[in-house]
Amino acid sequence: MHLDLQKMKDLLPPLSKQEEATCDLWVKGVEEFLAATYPIEKLDRLESFVTGYVIDALKRRLSNPNPSVIREGAGPFSVGYSEHFARGGFFLPEEKADLDRVLGRSGTRSYRTPAPEEIIQLNRMPRVEEEELWHIQ
């Protein structure tokens, strides 16, 4: 999959030269992240789906230069920060969950399965000391 900023420009607000250069770096970084995280075959097949999420993330980044601040009042001590950007991610957790679900990274669960009855019964046997084993022979 190859994300191209030139193909996305029609769906983005007008960009200055500096914003275009920044967006180009973001797109390259997101492309590397996606390639390292998801199977390439699925990314190629669902390129338009993934591109939509990248465009939404670009719009969000462009509209808010400091995405970690969600509330700011008068004074330095009245700033509220978003937990979504505390880890420095490009996608919101909800978007990442959607990508995981569609591209095949979700659904992995760990379940505790009960042991077969024979093993449970063996575990209930009284403990045999090593000295007693020598007398059994």
Side-chain angles (χ1 to χ4, degrees):
M1 181 182 88
H2 177 69
L3 295 173
D4 187 13
L5 181 62
Q6 298 307 318
K7 292 179 184 175
M8 297 182 214
K9 280 179 79 171
D10 294 340
L11 301 171
L12 293 171
L15 301 174
S16 68
K17 293 289 184 192
Q18 182 181 2
E19 288 174 333
E20 189 171 335
T22 302
C23 285
D24 193 42
L25 290 175
W26 284 340
V27 168
K28 288 177 184 176
V30 168
E31 185 176 357
E32 291 298 322
F33 165 76
L34 292 170
T37 307
Y38 303 109
I40 299 296
E41 303 81 31
K42 286 194 176 184
L43 287 172
D44 288 342
R45 193 176 58 212
L46 299 169
E47 186 171 351
S48 60
F49 173 79
V50 175
T51 302
Y53 278 92
V54 173
I55 290 170
D56 287 345
L58 284 172
K59 286 179 182 178
R60 190 171 45 255
R61 286 278 178 114
L62 289 169
S63 67
N64 188 2
N66 189 358
S68 63
V69 175
I70 56 172
R71 180 180 37 83
E72 193 170 16
F77 301 109
S78 60
V79 176
Y81 293 96
S82 170
E83 294 179 18
H84 294 304
F85 292 95
R87 295 176 299 280
F90 193 76
F91 297 110
L92 293 173
E94 302 84 29
E95 293 171 337
K96 180 76 170 73
D98 285 346
L99 289 169
D100 287 350
R101 183 179 47 78
V102 172
L103 296 173
R105 288 278 307 231
S106 68
T108 305
R109 302 284 188 264
S110 177
Y111 294 102
R112 182 181 179 276
T113 55
E117 188 63 33
E118 305 85 47
I119 294 176
I120 292 173
Q121 294 302 322
L122 288 174
N123 288 340
R124 293 181 183 160
M125 290 179 64
R127 183 180 170 146
V128 178
E129 296 295 328
E130 189 174 327
E131 295 173 12
E132 294 176 14
L133 291 175
W134 292 108
H135 297 294
I136 294 175
Q137 294 177 356

